[in-house]
Amino acid sequence: MSAALEARGLVVRYGPTTAVDGIDLDLARGEVLALLGPNGAGKSSTVEVCTGFRPASGGRVTVLGHAPDDDAVRPRVGVMPQGGGAYPAVRTGEMLHLVADCAAHPIDPGRLLDVLGLRHRARTPYKRLSGGEQQRLALACAVVGRPELVFLDEPTAGLDPQARHLVWDLVRALRRDGVGVLLTTHLMDEAEQLADDVVIIDKGRVVAHGSPAQLTAGDQTELRFRAPAGMDTAGLDDRLPDGYATTETTPGRYRVQGRIDPGALAAITSWCADQGVMADDVQVVRRSLEDVFLDLTGRELRP
Ligand code: ADP
């Protein structure tokens, strides 16, 4: 069976601006791929090519084994664009039925309204829905036709935590059903919770690629502990090999950045003992996806 999505050397140019500069993507069916990047990284341009909305300036993209703008592939792909969109006067339930009627084997629209917490809004006109409800309706419209591949652009931006969890549950259900899901997000926990694979792009290029566990593995960890405020930690750094740095982040809380292996842990606790203090609340902290992102792009994930 063909992959859900494959991109090789994708390039997107707008006049003299190269927005996407040769990226590769692979998404299998039944997997979730999160595309992360700061604003202007090239995420939307990438998604626009993959959904057949814009031609590539270079490289090759296949969607379910076809060109993205192939008519044969359109009914098999669901797209939730940012900002959604519907006729202002159409009622929520009508809108979803309208989209479902275009599909050969749609999901029951009523069930989808239940899953996304929209049942009580079925008779409400689109323009009277809250932003979060409009967004959930856009998601419902993207999946009601039982697509084999779904593109979700910032699917939970602006949703409250409860609605966010409804959306996450739906994404997990899609994955279980063998649907390939490509999502763009600014939310690290969303990528960590949902994605099998994460691609971080910056300035149109892939700067990191792997599962959340692979991206956050490695030895860049840190150790935190509590001890009396105001200790002179220069002596501790002298005991550790080059590359370690200790700071007192707030009075009485210390952070040692560097590779925390058994030797480093022993050096830290023995230095504390030599000072006659007990290192309390000792924690070894792994890097988060957010730390990885910051290291790679120098920027916060949120715009
Ligand atoms: P992201 O979705 O990651 O924020 P975009 O794909 O929207 O990134 O944009 C990537 C780059 O391409 C940015 O520098 C942006 O200004 C530029 N860009 C996007 N769309 C257009 C356009 N229609 N015309 C000219 N430049 C564009």
Side-chain angles (χ1 to χ4, degrees):
M1 215 194 280
S2 57
L5 174 72
E6 191 179 283
R8 291 289 172 271
L10 175 62
V11 176
V12 182
R13 289 195 197 92
Y14 302 101
T17 306
T18 300
V20 178
D21 196 6
I23 73 167
D24 296 342
L25 296 175
D26 287 283
L27 171 59
R29 294 167 195 249
E31 273 188 17
V32 178
L33 172 65
L35 196 56
L36 303 180
N39 261 359
K43 302 182 295 295
S44 300
S45 302
T46 300
V47 170
E48 284 172 10
V49 172
C50 295
T51 52
F53 181 78
R54 175 184 298 291
S57 314
R60 187 173 57 83
V61 175
T62 56
V63 170
L64 303 168
H66 298 261
D69 60 353
D70 190 322
D71 285 343
V73 98
R74 284 178 190 265
R76 299 166 58 196
V77 174
V79 181
M80 177 192 175
Q82 243 184 76
Y87 310 111
V90 74
R91 295 178 199 278
T92 303
E94 279 171 359
M95 177 72 199
L96 194 55
H97 275 96
L98 206 65
V99 179
D101 286 347
C102 301
H105 306 288
I107 300 173
D108 171 20
R111 207 183 105 213
L112 210 44
L113 291 176
D114 280 337
V115 168
L116 287 169
L118 289 171
R119 172 70 89 172
H120 66 296
R121 307 295 263 162
R123 297 191 50 74
T124 306
Y126 179 79
K127 65 180 174 202
R128 293 233 206 93
L129 296 177
S130 71
E133 288 167 344
Q134 291 184 351
Q135 218 168 324
R136 277 178 278 154
L137 177 59
L139 176 58
C141 290
V143 304
V144 72
R146 291 187 201 276
E148 296 163 58
L149 168 63
V150 187
F151 292 92
L152 308 177
D153 202 357
E154 304 264 349
T156 63
L159 294 188
D160 61 38
Q162 198 190 352
R164 179 167 296 154
H165 279 97
L166 292 178
V167 171
W168 287 1
D169 287 344
L170 181 67
V171 171
R172 291 188 185 109
L174 290 168
R175 182 220 260 141
R176 274 198 303 277
D177 288 347
V179 178
V181 180
L182 184 141
L183 64 93
T184 66
T185 183
H186 277 104
L187 303 172
M188 283 290 124
D189 59 337
E190 185 156 290
E192 282 185 306
Q193 290 278 334
L194 294 181
D196 299 291
D197 235 349
V198 174
V199 169
I200 301 179
I201 63 172
D202 190 27
K203 301 185 186 116
R205 291 173 182 246
V206 174
V207 292
H209 171 214
S211 67
Q214 284 167 337
L215 288 174
T216 55
D219 36 32
Q220 273 292 339
T221 45
E222 66 177 44
L223 181 136
R224 296 177 194 162
F225 64 95
R226 288 172 186 256
M231 290 199 302
D232 178 3
T233 56
L236 172 54
D237 287 340
D238 289 343
R239 282 218 198 160
L240 291 163
D242 285 350
Y244 288 79
T246 308
T247 41
E248 187 174 5
T249 50
T250 56
R253 286 172 187 257
Y254 296 84
R255 181 174 71 191
V256 183
Q257 286 177 295
R259 180 163 182 259
I260 307 300
D261 54 15
L265 183 60
I268 294 163
T269 49
S270 86
W271 177 81
C272 286
D274 291 350
Q275 314 304 304
V277 305
M278 171 86 180
D280 218 354
D281 238 349
V282 177
Q283 288 176 45
V284 178
V285 182
R286 284 210 166 277
R287 287 200 313 168
S288 68
L289 209 47
E290 185 123 30
D291 297 331
V292 174
F293 186 87
L294 271 169
D295 285 353
L296 289 168
T297 69
R299 271 170 286 177
E300 303 264 355
L301 200 59
R302 278 189 169 280

